[in-house]
């Protein structure tokens, strides 16, 4: 297996824990264990009783029952819980693919969605979202990317890093295409339930049929990245069983306290999501004003969901801009180059409570250097 460094994670490792303002995080504002437990009477006492032995490899039945409530047709045995969505991506790619398979991957995107498939021996075709189309994917392009050895399409909506939420029409068309061509559809839904308008929420892919696998996590919409609880939901028994076998070689089972806390979180997920969407909506007003004030410095495609956007910097080299900003002003943005983007975009995180203060500092920086 040959895996190059995960550029985004390496960039975060450099700055995440020593920079005052994180203005590029993909996860929403988190909370303390005590705040989470306070959502449910008796939960704090129950946590004290959690047994610290090995847990069920699939994930605790109680947690899987809660996760099922995200879906229409999924039952607890269709859910495989992992340590974060990261582990689930890793195991899916090695379970689903073999050398010389061809995979079509939504791009730009979270690096492991393409890179782990490549490490499993696949040829990757990026399916490019374009800013001039509001970051939509073009279905004609999908048809052109198809080869005789294509095994899967990998999509991510709501999307990291653009905040793009696919239209229902396009989503249905991708499902139809995958089904007709007998492809797997791996649908990274880790930002699902963070739509600003709930009416725009897409159905989960796993509810469409056996060819689809949905990925979820507590980290993003619900703001609980430290739990490290992610999962796949699928009616595809072959993929499920293969992933379960591979999991014996990675983590075997999940952290018992985390599974209990995730169960509390999923039972209260609507409250958690609502809290975070409210933070995002308030932050969007602040950044709308920022971009209106500096139209010659940035492009701005407003996201429709999730905790990120991907504006373009028009004032020079984006890597230098992000470097100067983090070193001189203590604000971390993420240059699009970590996504292999060559068009000077950067990732802006919208889910943190201190965004208004970070943006004030950013304005001060921009006024000084211009
Ligand atoms: C699209 C996408 N998928 C998966 C993950 C992995 O989530 P986690 O770090 O919680 O495992 C991320 C994290 O940024 C992501 O943005």
């Amino acid at each position: 297996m040959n895996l190059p460094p995960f550029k985004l994670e390496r960039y975060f490792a450099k700055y995440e824990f020593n920079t005052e303002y994180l203005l590029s995080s993909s996860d929403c504002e988190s909370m303390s264990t005590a705040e989470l437990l306070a959502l449910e009477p008796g939960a704090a006492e129950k946590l004290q009783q959690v047994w610290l032995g090995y847990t069920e490899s699939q994930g605790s039945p109680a947690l899987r029952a809660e996760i099922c409530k995200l879906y229409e047709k999924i039952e607890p045995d269709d859910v495989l819980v992992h340590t974060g969505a990261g582990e689930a991506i890793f195991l899916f790619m090695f379970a689903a693919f073999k050398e010389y398979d061809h995979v079509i991957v939504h791009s730009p995107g979270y690096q492991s969605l393409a890179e782990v498939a490549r490490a499993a021996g696949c040829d990757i075709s990026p399916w490019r979202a374009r800013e001039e189309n509001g970051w939509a994917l073009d279905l004609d392009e999908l048809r052109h990317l198809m080869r005789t050895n294509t095994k899967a399409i990998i999509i991510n909506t709501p999307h990291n890093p653009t905040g793009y939420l696919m239209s229902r029409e396009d989503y249905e068309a991708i499902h139809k295409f995958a089904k007709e061509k007998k492809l797997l559809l791996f649908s990274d839904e880790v930002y699902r339930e963070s739509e600003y308008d709930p009416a725009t929420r897409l159905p989960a892919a796993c509810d469409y049929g056996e060819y689809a696998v949905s990925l979820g996590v507590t980290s993003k919409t619900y703001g609980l990245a430290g739990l490290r609880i992610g999962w796949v939901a699928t009616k595809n028994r072959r993929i499920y069983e293969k992933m379960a076998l591979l999991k014996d070689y990675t983590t075997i089972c999940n952290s018992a306290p985390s599974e209990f806390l995730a169960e509390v979180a999923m039972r209260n997920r609507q409250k958690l999501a609502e809290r975070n969407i409210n933070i995002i909506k308030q932050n969007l007003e602040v950044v709308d004003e920022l971009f209106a004030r500096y139209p010659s410095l940035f492009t701005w495609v407003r996201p429709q969901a999730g905790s990120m956007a991907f504006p373009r910097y028009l004032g020079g080299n984006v890597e230098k801009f992000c470097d100067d900003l983090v070193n001189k002003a203590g604000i971390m943005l993420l240059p699009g180059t970590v996504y292999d983007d060559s068009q000077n975009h950067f990732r802006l995180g919208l889910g943190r409570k201190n965004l208004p203060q970070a943006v004030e500092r950013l304005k001060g920086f921009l006024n000084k250097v211009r």
Side-chain angles (χ1 to χ4, degrees):
M1 185 191 345
N2 198 0
L3 275 169
F6 202 129
K7 292 183 202 164
L8 178 153
E9 296 299 344
R10 287 300 95 212
Y11 198 89
F12 265 88
K14 217 160 134 191
Y15 297 116
E16 185 173 9
F17 295 103
N18 56 20
T19 302
E20 192 174 352
Y21 290 114
L22 300 178
L23 196 50
S24 53
S25 301
S26 60
D27 49 334
C28 289
E29 185 77 22
S30 199
M31 58 174 55
S32 67
T33 309
E35 281 173 283
L36 175 64
L37 290 170
L39 292 175
E40 208 168 271
E45 293 71 31
K46 282 192 197 146
L47 177 65
Q48 306 286 324
Q49 304 307 319
V50 168
W51 190 254
L52 295 177
Y54 282 108
T55 60
E56 282 185 44
S57 188
Q58 278 182 288
S60 80
L63 172 58
R64 285 183 284 123
E66 283 307 320
I67 290 172
C68 282
K69 294 179 186 162
L70 282 165
Y71 309 112
E72 298 286 322
K73 299 183 183 152
I74 292 295
E75 317 220 8
D77 279 349
D78 303 325
V79 175
L80 185 59
V81 182
H82 293 81
T83 300
E87 186 193 20
I89 292 173
F90 202 92
L91 298 192
F92 169 79
M93 302 297 175
F94 279 92
F97 305 134
K98 58 180 191 322
E99 226 179 337
Y100 307 119
D101 282 345
H102 173 243
V103 178
I104 297 169
V105 187
H106 192 160
S107 162
Y110 189 64
Q111 189 173 339
S112 60
L113 293 173
E115 214 60 72
V116 181
R118 206 187 317 275
C122 297
D123 261 353
I124 304 299
S125 292
W127 183 16
R128 290 195 198 287
R130 298 179 207 282
E131 187 180 20
E132 59 272 27
N133 300 333
W135 295 115
L137 292 164
D138 178 342
L139 279 121
D140 281 338
E141 256 176 66
L142 174 64
R143 288 180 198 101
H144 285 115
L145 291 172
M146 195 58 201
R147 297 186 196 161
T148 50
N149 60 338
T150 305
K151 285 283 148 47
I153 306 171
I154 296 176
I155 54 170
N156 167 220
T157 184
H159 183 232
N160 171 3
T162 65
Y164 174 69
L165 176 66
M166 200 175 283
S167 69
R168 181 80 180 241
E169 196 186 346
D170 283 2
Y171 188 64
E172 301 281 350
I174 293 170
H175 274 277
K176 189 163 173 269
F177 186 85
K179 217 170 164 180
E180 268 171 24
K181 304 282 180 197
K182 299 193 173 18
L183 305 177
L184 282 171
L185 179 63
F186 186 78
S187 177
D188 182 329
E189 298 167 4
V190 300
Y191 299 95
R192 192 159 172 262
E193 297 208 326
S194 67
E195 301 78 9
Y196 310 152
D197 172 3
T200 59
R201 182 168 310 145
L202 296 169
C206 57
D207 281 327
Y208 282 73
E210 272 186 27
Y211 60 92
V213 178
S214 290
L215 177 72
V217 83
T218 58
S219 310
K220 309 298 183 182
T221 305
Y222 314 110
L224 300 169
L227 293 182
R228 308 310 302 127
I229 293 288
W231 58 88
V232 289
T234 185
K235 289 281 179 196
N236 189 316
R237 289 322 293 174
R238 187 181 66 85
I239 295 291
Y240 186 104
E241 298 299 343
K242 276 182 124 175
M243 288 181 74
L245 289 178
L246 288 176
K247 197 182 166 200
D248 292 340
Y249 282 99
T250 52
T251 55
I252 301 175
C253 65
N254 311 298
S255 146
S258 279
E259 284 206 338
F260 173 75
L261 292 169
E263 185 194 321
V264 174
M266 294 312 286
R267 229 179 343 262
N268 293 280
R269 66 179 217 277
Q270 264 135 5
K271 273 188 217 152
L272 295 171
E274 204 176 302
R275 162 192 182 262
N276 290 332
I277 292 168
N278 283 336
I279 295 173
I280 293 170
K281 283 185 173 167
Q282 283 166 20
N283 286 343
L284 271 169
E285 286 180 21
V286 175
V287 301
D288 279 342
E289 195 274 325
L290 170 79
F291 292 124
R293 188 185 285 217
Y294 301 97
S296 60
L297 270 191
F298 305 105
T299 60
W300 177 226
V301 178
R302 204 177 200 267
Q304 300 116 318
S307 43
M308 276 165 290
F310 206 45
R312 187 199 298 227
Y313 180 58
L314 304 171
N317 178 288
V318 77
E319 283 189 332
K320 177 160 187 331
F321 174 60
C322 293
D323 242 38
D324 284 350
L325 199 60
V326 73
N327 291 316
K328 296 181 185 163
I331 302 171
M332 184 190 166
L333 287 177
L334 189 65
T337 46
V338 305
Y339 287 88
D340 290 334
D341 170 83
S342 58
Q343 294 178 322
N344 246 26
H345 294 98
F346 61 93
R347 188 173 92 180
L348 178 68
L350 301 163
R352 297 294 174 91
K353 265 191 189 156
N354 66 359
L355 177 139
Q357 292 87 321
V359 167
E360 266 320 296
R361 173 90 63 94
L362 173 61
K363 283 183 196 162
F365 175 83
L366 294 174
N367 293 340
K368 237 189 265 168
V369 298
R370 287 172 76 226

